[in-house]
Amino acid sequence: MIKTEAILLVWGVRDEVLERLPVRGEWLYGEYDFIARVEFSDRAEMEAFEKLLVKIIGGHTYKLLPVMISAVKRNEKGSFSIVEVPGEFGLV
C-alpha cells in the first residue's frame, strides 16, 4: 500500500467553516484562506476525504494537490521541509 500525501488549499469560505475542517493547518490571508498538509493511506481514503470536504465547505472552493516528492532536511539550526507538487498543477 502506498501512502498518499497532498496539499489542501481552501478559499472563499467563512471562518466558521474553516474551524469545522477535520485537519490541522494554517489560516492564510490573501488568495487562499487555509493551507494544510494531509496524508492518506490510499487513493480511496483521499477520495472519501474530498467528498467530506464538499459537504463541509458546501462547494468546490478547494484544491487537493497530490504531492509527487517530499523530504525533510534537518540541520544544526533547525529543520525545514521541502515539498514538490506535480508540474501539471502549476505550483512548482
Side-chain angles (χ1 to χ4, degrees):
M1 184 180 326
I2 298 174
K3 183 175 73 169
T4 302
E5 295 179 32
I7 302 298
L8 171 65
L9 296 168
V10 180
W11 66 91
V13 296
R14 301 180 75 175
D15 291 350
E16 297 81 29
V17 174
L18 293 175
E19 291 170 351
R20 294 190 345 233
L21 292 176
V23 295
R24 296 182 72 176
E26 299 294 325
W27 290 35
L28 304 172
Y29 300 95
E31 184 175 350
Y32 298 106
D33 297 324
F34 182 81
I35 187 170
R37 179 177 163 265
V38 290
E39 295 182 1
F40 307 100
S41 60
D42 57 24
R43 188 86 172 155
E45 185 180 7
M46 186 169 82
E47 290 170 1
F49 178 74
E50 282 193 86
K51 289 178 183 177
L52 178 62
L53 279 177
V54 171
K55 185 176 180 180
I56 292 172
I57 295 172
H60 291 281
T61 58
Y62 71 90
K63 291 180 185 177
L64 190 59
L65 308 170
V67 174
M68 191 169 75
I69 298 170
S70 69
V72 175
K73 181 176 181 179
R74 301 191 191 289
N75 59 28
E76 295 171 2
K77 296 179 183 178
S79 66
F80 60 92
S81 296
I82 301 169
V83 176
E84 181 179 331
V85 297
E88 66 193 72
F89 296 110
L91 295 175
V92 177

